[in-house]
């Protein structure tokens, strides 16, 4: 792993996530409170990108099936509850989950030097 610059603090708007790249990996960067946070832009459900999902209170919602993750920890807080934004009943959630169990997304520690943000990737 090497230290990679992913963004400048000026690139990040409050209440929004920024999609960035680090050593060929797509990552999501956001500011939560006073802290800069980063997770992989790859949903652990089916490996799809999450950067266009709704971001609220430090949590991003995967736009495909509604799984939710804390951007500062990668912790899964909701697993597969919808299909492209349409809520699903319990039996359909199990079908769409396709046998996959709730899983956290990879998170990265963000370091700051001046206005530059870095992760080890
Ligand atoms: S790909 Fe993200 S919840 Fe299915």
């Amino acid at each position: 792993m090497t230290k990679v610059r992913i963004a400048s603090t000026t690139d990040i708007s409050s209440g929004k996530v920024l999609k960035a790249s680090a050593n060929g990996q797509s990552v999501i960067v956001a500011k939560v409170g006073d802290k800069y946070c980063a997770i992989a832009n790859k949903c652990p459900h089916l490996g799809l990108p999450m950067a266009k999902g709704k971001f609220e209170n430090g949590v991003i919602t995967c736009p495909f099936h509604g799984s939710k993750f804390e951007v500062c920890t990668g912790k899964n807080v909701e697993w597969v509850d919808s299909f492209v934004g349409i809520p699903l009943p319990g039996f359909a959630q199990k079908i769409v989950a396709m046998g996959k169990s709730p899983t956290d997304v990879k998170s990265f520690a963000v370091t700051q030097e001046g206005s530059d943000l870095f992760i080890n990737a």
Side-chain angles (χ1 to χ4, degrees):
M1 290 207 293
T2 55
K3 184 175 164 184
V4 183
R5 183 187 178 280
I6 50 168
S8 165
T9 55
T10 57
D11 298 333
I12 299 175
S13 310
S14 177
K16 290 189 177 173
V17 298
L18 175 76
K19 190 173 111 178
S21 179
N23 277 347
Q25 293 180 70
S26 182
V27 297
I28 291 170
V29 193
K31 188 174 185 187
V32 180
D34 291 337
K35 188 176 172 190
Y36 291 97
C37 303
I39 57 171
N41 182 22
K42 188 174 180 182
C43 181
H45 176 223
L46 296 180
L48 298 173
M50 300 192 288
K52 291 192 174 162
K54 182 176 159 196
F55 177 62
E56 200 171 56
N57 298 323
V59 172
I60 190 155
T61 301
C62 177
F64 295 96
H65 312 111
S67 293
K68 294 181 170 68
F69 302 90
E70 290 179 356
V71 174
C72 285
T73 63
K75 183 173 183 264
N76 173 247
V77 293
E78 184 83 52
W79 187 248
V80 182
D81 70 353
S82 59
F83 183 76
V84 293
I86 302 164
L88 294 171
F91 74 94
Q93 290 176 15
K94 285 191 177 138
I95 293 167
V96 173
M98 303 202 318
K100 303 231 179 175
S101 302
T103 306
D104 295 343
V105 67
K106 184 176 181 181
S107 66
F108 301 90
V110 177
T111 54
Q112 182 174 353
E113 291 175 21
S115 62
D116 292 323
L117 301 174
F118 299 85
I119 61 170
N120 285 317

